[in-house]
Amino acid sequence: MNTKAIAGQGVDIEALRERYAHERARRIRPDGAGQYSGLAGELAEYAKDPYQPVLARAPKRDTVDMLIIGGGIGGLATAIALRKAGVRSIRIMDQAGDFGGTWYWNRYPGIRCDIESHVYMPLLEDVGTFPGWRYASGDEIRQHLVALARKYDLYDEALLHTQAIGATWTGAAWSITTDRGDVFDATYVVVSAGGVNAPKLPRIPGIGEFAGRMFHTSRWDYEFTGGDHSGGLHGLTDKSVAVVGTGATGVQVIPALAEYAKELFVFQRTPALVAPRDNRRTDKGWVKDDAPGWQRRRMENFLQITSGAKPEIDLIDDEWTRKAAFLNKQNTGTWEGDLSDPDAELAEEIADAVAMEAIRARVDDIVEDPATAEALKPWFRYFCKRPTFSDLYLPAFNRPNVTLVDTAEHGGVSRITNSGLVVGEKEYPVDLIVFATGFEVGSSSLMTGALNVVGRDGRSFLEAWANGPRTLHGYTTAGFPNLFHMSVIHTANNINFSHMLQIHAEHISNVILSAREAGAAGVEPTSAMQDAWQREIEKTARNLHDFHLACTPGYFNAEGQPTAAAITYGPGPIVLRDVLARWRQECLPDALFFV
Ligand code: NDP
């Protein structure tokens, strides 16, 4: 690839690299991930459940076969697979007041799934749900998950509004303790809670001083705003409102607030990459192939396209599948060829530049005020941050009641006073502050120690992982029998995380069922199995360190300070699924133990 070819595409790649580096440099903060705080201590009040009251109940003292921590998609999929195989004693536990996981907590106005519902919503054919929209509302997804829990009879044994705080291996089972005073035994424990469930707030000086109303998007106060997820926020028609954050959540919530607030100030630090959405109503005819098994086939098609395979047909044909080449470069390191070839690397960078230029041109096309349009343009590479999709977000800035406040030069909002937000020296008085500032992504209670797990020989889980994760396939750890963990660590990843959770659930439930069939007391990987998987991860993990190091900060790159640790299984989910099936056939007997 020579400079002539580059010029032929109209891309000055050197100038673009400089611009991206400049934007990164002005955004980077020395405090990295430390700029955020979880909702604990004096912020604990902001973590409270605004949707359902916590009801008094007597502590449980009993024994169950399966304890599944997390009532979201991963927990439900595991429970349902076990239930279908005839397991009766299944307890799901969740801090939330109902099933739904992230869709329980996130009910902000405008909430929609950004993956096509027909491949995202699990087990549609089990309950006969057919999504009413191509990208369903959060409420539709939550109702579907509740319907699954009902159909598979998961409410009776469930412990909701309950957090497990201790799990100790007794030699035959796990003894579980909770924050509601429960003490019970479970033969198997599956932890599927930690995707995007812990909200975070920026440590903005003065945040505790604000005298108006303030909440995180995952704890929406509809009593204050009026309305529901679909709109009708009439409580805001005489209010000045601030939103902090313009990520995937901000992009969805801002148009909804703009419609009702007297005035809306959008505090932006890094502009989002906003691609077209093209949402529409769907009925059964829309998917064309609706013969039994249609959802599985559609999910597979999406998984293949977004994991580097090239099926003949793209059934989904949306912005994710059209940009799959960028995803594949991230996940599998391929770009129509060998990326160790510098020409291929440059070709990919140019394609990225062309795609980002189209995103920036779209801002100019839609946003009328030139200064606002300029400030809304993202200057980073595709997949430096999660792309967002909206046909409503950019037009919202043409409304007279909406003001974009660019905080980039100041590293974010400078201060909060008792009456508003300050950027530099300018104060913006408001009645309500909505924090669309995201989540502690991917850290489950097992990994933070909020669930204190003590395995064989009194060894704690945190000790076992003191020098980094130690797992077989990401799910199990030697010394912790019958304990399974779903996360993004030591496993493959896919943008349809719901499908990944279903792949995890299928494997875990198969392993547990095989152990029961064999009459085993349980299953635990040997150290040798674990070491072999560690080597496999190190051998195959994509090295994205350099890419992330050049990216504008965010949770994808540990706020601009990425580590080079090998975390992900490089060949991707389709190969992983085969690896897991072969392991179950050939190696599982060696992991069983008998009393
Ligand atoms: P993000 O972490 O993506 O975004 C947080 C936003 O807050 C960023 O714009 C960030 O700016 C901004 N911010 C943080 N601190 C400050 C500050 N001090 N001053 C000003 N701005 C600040 O969180 P989201 O909730 O938007 O998304 C999290 C994840 O949740 C998504 O990536 C996605 O995985 C999931 N999600 C999925 C959806 C779906 O439809 N499937 C919908 C919504 C969310 P900066 O970029 O500069 O850090």
Side-chain angles (χ1 to χ4, degrees), residues 514-534:
S514 300
R516 282 162 62 103
E517 261 168 45
V523 58
E524 178 186 352
T526 63
S527 294
M529 289 175 179
Q530 197 166 272
D531 292 345
W533 189 245
Q534 180 75 28

Side-chain angles (χ1 to χ4, degrees), residues 27 29 35-36 102-103 106 108 110-115 120 135-136 141 195-196 200-205 216-218 243-252 267-272 277 320 380 385-389 405 407-408 410-414 421 423 435-441 495 497 552-556 559:
R27 165 60 185 83
R29 288 173 53 129
Q35 69 182 281
Y36 292 106
T102 199
W103 302 102
N106 285 282
Y108 55 83
I111 184 168
R112 287 192 175 270
C113 185
D114 68 5
I115 306 281
Y120 179 88
Y135 304 97
I141 300 169
V196 280
K200 62 183 196 216
L201 289 177
R203 295 178 199 269
I204 300 173
H216 187 272
T217 41
S218 66
V243 182
V244 181
T246 54
T249 302
V251 163
Q252 293 185 340
F267 291 83
Q268 168 189 276
R269 190 165 60 182
T270 310
R277 176 70 309 180
W320 287 116
F380 48 78
K385 284 176 172 279
R386 187 182 171 105
T388 70
F389 309 88
V405 184
T407 71
H410 305 276
V413 174
S414 312
L421 301 90
V423 177
F435 283 99
T437 47
F439 302 86
E440 291 166 23
V441 174
I495 202 71
F497 200 57
T552 185
Y555 74 87
F556 273 20
E559 296 301 328

